[in-house]
Amino acid sequence: MLPEIAAARRILVVTKFRFLGDTIVATPFLKCLYEACPQAKIDLLSGPSVQLVLENLPFVSEVIAFGPGQTSRLRDNLIMRKRLHLRGYNCAFVLNRSLHSAALIRGAHIPFRVGFNTEHRGPFLNLRVPYDKNLSERACLQSILDASGL
């Protein structure tokens, strides 16, 4: 396991804000992360609908609902960046492939950021994982675990 992940006490996992199915597919990823990092508090940042469905997962400490664009997208993003920064996350896994999510996490000053190297997100990530569109989403998430040494 990479030392930045092994030492992490607070980990944030970001999934798609608008697609519940992609977050449900990520539950094996969350469980594996929990088993590999039992010392860490693992939070999930996803859309508002996810909070109702996954709030009682034993391997997620908190589900943080975020739906950018509900009022002012810029204002919502600035508020969420500050909120995440104040929580003191050591590491973030950005499982979706949007530039927006990677920029949000970088703006929250989370020191170690892992995600797919797509959508011009490379400069926002410390560990850039290739994305193979020919693989299933679950297999792609496994590639992030593999690259992280989990």
Side-chain angles (χ1 to χ4, degrees):
M1 178 183 330
L2 295 174
E4 296 87 351
I5 298 169
R9 296 291 175 247
R10 296 210 61 177
I11 298 173
L12 181 67
V13 177
V14 182
T15 61
K16 291 183 180 178
F17 303 132
R18 293 180 181 89
F19 300 100
L20 177 61
D22 288 329
T23 300
I24 291 171
V25 169
T27 55
F29 175 95
L30 292 163
K31 185 177 183 202
C32 184
L33 182 61
Y34 172 78
E35 290 170 351
C37 302
Q39 80 290 351
K41 179 179 178 185
I42 300 170
D43 293 341
L44 174 64
L45 177 66
S46 193
S49 61
V50 171
Q51 195 167 29
L52 296 172
V53 177
L54 300 180
E55 68 182 344
N56 293 317
L57 281 179
F59 36 88
V60 173
S61 297
E62 183 179 355
V63 177
I64 304 166
F66 184 52
Q70 293 171 348
T71 54
S72 161
R73 186 174 178 137
L74 177 59
R75 182 175 165 269
D76 290 347
N77 282 303
L78 292 174
I79 290 169
M80 183 54 70
R81 281 175 34 179
K82 183 175 183 178
R83 182 177 170 196
L84 296 175
H85 176 68
L86 292 174
R87 287 173 174 249
Y89 292 106
N90 311 103
C91 177
F93 289 88
V94 187
L95 301 185
N96 64 355
R97 295 174 305 281
S98 77
L99 178 60
H100 169 260
S101 294
L104 176 71
I105 298 312
R106 175 61 184 98
H109 305 288
I110 298 173
F112 193 71
R113 301 166 307 279
V114 181
F116 294 113
N117 193 21
T118 60
E119 312 264 336
H120 308 288
R121 298 163 9 117
F124 297 102
L125 303 170
N126 304 93
L127 178 58
R128 300 162 191 90
V129 179
Y131 180 77
D132 185 345
K133 64 182 178 180
N134 297 314
L135 296 176
S136 69
E137 192 65 19
R138 189 169 178 183
C140 289
L141 296 179
Q142 181 64 46
S143 68
I144 287 182
L145 291 170
D146 294 343
S148 302
L150 301 173

